[in-house]
Amino acid sequence: MSRFKKKQSKASAAISTASLPDIVFMLLFFFMVVTKLRQTEVKVAQSTPAITELTKLEEKSLVNFIMIGKPVQKYQAVYGTKPRLQLGDKLATEVDIPLFLEKHKSTVPESRQGRITSSLKIDGDVTMGIVEDVKTMLRKSGQLRVNYSAKKRDV
Amino acid sequence: MAINRAVPEINAGSMADIAFLLLIFFLVTTQISEDRGLLVKLPPWSEEPPENLQINARNVLSVLVNKDNQLLVRGKPQDLTTLRQVTKDFIANPRKEADKSVDPTKAIISLKNDRGTKYITYLNVYNELQAAYRELWDERSNIKFGKNLEFLTTAQQREIKAEIPLVLSEAESTAFGDN
C-alpha cells in the first residue's frame, strides 16, 4: 500500500484555464443572441394581468407595441397620474395611433402587412375607457389583429 | 540574418476577463422577451348602424361587467370562478335545456363592460370565455382525433373550430364609471 501512496505528489496540479475563455464566449454568444437592447424608455406603468390562455407572438418585426398605464413617478410632475398612451418612446394620445401604425407598416414588406399584430401592454389598474378609445382607433385604422399582452398564470 | 522562426506565444490569460466583461454587459441588458398574450381579432369599423338581426334569445349569453367589476351573466350575479363552467354549459348544452344554445354553431357570447371597469377584470373575463371555448375544442378534438387541439394540423384545427365557432360580440360599453 505504501508504495502507491508515495507516488502521489503533494502539490496540487494547476487546473488549466485555457478553455475558460471558450466557455465564457459560449455564454456570451448565447446572451448576445437572445438580447434585445431596450431602445425605448418605458414611461408608463407596465404591470400586465396574469391569465391562462396565452398565445406566443411569432415575429417581432410584425408587432407594434402600444402601452397604456399611469405615467411612472419621474413623469408624473409633467403628465399627471391619469393613464396615458405610449407609442414608441413618446407619450401620446389616441389620435396619434394611425400615424404610428402607418410608420410601422412601412417597415414591413407589403406581402406580410396583413399579419401585423398590435400588442397592447396595458396596466391592470387602467379603466376600460381609454382602452375602449384605443380599440376604436385601431378598428378605424383597420388594425384588427390585437394581442392583449399578459403574464402566465396556472389555473 | 537570423530570423526567429518561433512564433511568440500570445498570453491568453486576459481573454477570459475580456469575455467576462462583455458577458456581464449582455447579462445586464438582456431581457428575455415574454411577448405572450391573448390574441383577439377586432371587428372591422363601420359607420353604419348594425342591422337588426333576429337572434333567438336562448342563443345569447350576455355577460355584463359594471364599473365596480361585478359580473352579471344573463341577469344573474355571477362569480369569475364559475364563469367558465357556465359558459361551457351554455355553448355545449349537454342536457339540451330549453334556455341554452340550440347548437354550438348558434351560440353567441355578448360581452359588455363599463368604461369604469378595470382592465384586469375585463381581461380575466375575456380569458375565462376564451378558456371555455378552448376546453370545448379540446374535448371535441379528443373525441375526434384523440389529442388536444394544439397538436392537430391546421386543417383539423379549422374543422374543430368550424363545429364550435367562437362568436364573441363586444357591445359599446356604458359610461357610468368613467372619470
Side-chain angles (χ1 to χ4, degrees), chain A residues 35 53 55 126 128-129 139 146 148, chain B residues 30 37-38 40 43 117 119 134:
Chain A
T35 287
E53 305 300 307
T55 326
V126 167
M128 283 306 285
R139 286 173 59 196
V146 165
Y148 294 120
Chain B
T30 288
L38 194 64
V40 299
T117 307
Y119 174 68
R134 202 247 312 134

Side-chain angles (χ1 to χ4, degrees), chain B:
Chain B
M1 284 293 217
I3 298 167
N4 194 1
R5 292 261 171 209
V7 179
E9 204 172 300
I10 299 164
N11 184 8
S14 55
M15 190 82 115
D17 301 0
I18 297 165
F20 262 122
L21 215 70
L22 280 167
L23 175 64
I24 289 162
F25 168 72
F26 279 101
L27 263 172
V28 171
T29 56
T30 288
Q31 40 169 354
I32 295 180
S33 59
E34 36 115 31
D35 273 334
R36 286 181 302 180
L38 194 64
L39 202 62
V40 299
K41 202 151 172 34
L42 301 177
W45 180 260
S46 126
E47 296 290 343
E48 299 139 42
E51 45 183 312
N52 227 333
L53 286 173
Q54 286 298 316
I55 301 168
N56 197 338
R58 68 177 279 192
N59 288 327
V60 180
L61 183 80
S62 70
V63 180
L64 304 174
V65 192
N66 74 357
K67 67 175 172 60
D68 299 317
N69 306 314
Q70 290 158 326
L71 231 66
L72 200 69
V73 179
R74 285 194 148 175
K76 282 198 225 69
Q78 189 68 248
D79 201 59
L80 198 57
T81 50
T82 51
L83 179 64
R84 190 183 301 194
Q85 198 51 48
V86 169
T87 312
K88 277 177 75 179
D89 270 353
F90 162 78
I91 304 163
N93 196 3
R95 291 180 295 279
K96 300 282 168 231
E97 286 163 85
D99 63 335
K100 288 175 184 149
S101 86
V102 181
D103 189 82
T105 52
K106 296 267 167 38
I108 295 172
I109 313 266
S110 162
L111 177 60
K112 189 170 181 174
N113 54 274
D114 190 83
R115 288 179 70 88
T117 307
K118 268 197 180 166
Y119 174 68
I120 189 166
T121 314
Y122 167 79
L123 199 63
N124 273 304
V125 169
Y126 209 114
N127 180 54
E128 288 305 310
L129 299 175
Q130 181 94 36
Y133 270 103
R134 202 247 312 134
E135 284 182 12
L136 287 172
W137 286 334
D138 277 347
E139 281 166 23
R140 191 82 196 102
S141 72
N142 266 311
I143 293 168
K144 261 189 123 163
F145 302 108
K147 46 193 166 185
N148 279 355
L149 187 81
E150 55 180 319
F151 303 116
L152 299 182
T153 63
T154 323
Q156 287 172 327
Q157 284 189 5
R158 220 170 272 157
E159 199 181 318
I160 297 288
K161 285 185 183 176
E163 279 180 45
I164 311 171
L166 194 160
V167 186
L168 208 158
S169 130
E170 282 183 75
E172 186 115 349
S173 41
T174 51
F176 296 117
D178 200 17
N179 35 23

Side-chain angles (χ1 to χ4, degrees), chain A:
Chain A
M1 282 302 280
S2 60
R3 240 184 7 181
F4 292 113
K5 264 184 189 165
K6 254 180 217 162
K7 276 193 175 168
Q8 280 179 347
S9 70
K10 290 279 172 200
S12 61
I15 299 164
S16 164
T17 56
S19 57
L20 194 59
D22 300 359
I23 297 165
V24 176
F25 266 118
M26 215 152 71
L27 278 169
L28 175 63
F29 288 141
F30 169 72
F31 279 100
M32 274 174 74
V33 170
V34 298
T35 287
K36 177 191 153 216
L37 288 176
R38 192 190 279 273
Q39 329 92 321
T40 54
E41 186 191 358
V42 177
K43 293 179 178 170
V44 294
Q46 286 277 282
S47 126
T48 51
I51 57 168
T52 56
E53 305 300 307
L54 289 164
T55 326
K56 241 188 195 153
L57 286 182
E58 320 108 14
E59 267 182 88
K60 278 270 169 55
S61 58
L62 293 175
V63 181
N64 51 50
F65 294 96
I66 297 174
M67 295 176 244
I68 308 174
K70 212 169 82 173
V72 292
Q73 195 91 52
K74 205 167 123 193
Y75 293 98
Q76 279 179 7
V78 186
Y79 295 105
T81 55
K82 264 197 158 184
R84 288 292 301 259
L85 212 67
Q86 184 182 344
L87 301 170
D89 53 357
K90 294 195 280 293
L91 287 173
T93 51
E94 294 91 66
V95 290
D96 301 321
I97 290 178
L99 187 64
F100 170 75
L101 291 176
E102 208 53 51
K103 268 187 190 158
H104 172 251
K105 211 174 189 175
S106 63
T107 65
V108 178
E110 208 167 326
S111 57
R112 323 185 62 189
Q113 285 182 354
R115 292 179 50 219
I116 293 177
T117 310
S118 275
S119 182
L120 302 185
K121 289 193 169 183
I122 308 175
D123 193 78
D125 282 331
V126 167
T127 52
M128 283 306 285
I130 186 166
V131 181
E132 211 70 51
D133 294 341
V134 168
K135 268 164 68 181
T136 308
M137 214 59 204
L138 287 172
R139 286 173 59 196
K140 281 182 179 170
S141 327
Q143 173 59 53
L144 303 177
R145 273 173 69 95
V146 165
N147 169 63
Y148 294 120
S149 185
K151 294 194 211 63
K152 180 141 186 71
R153 153 169 75 91
D154 300 310
V155 188

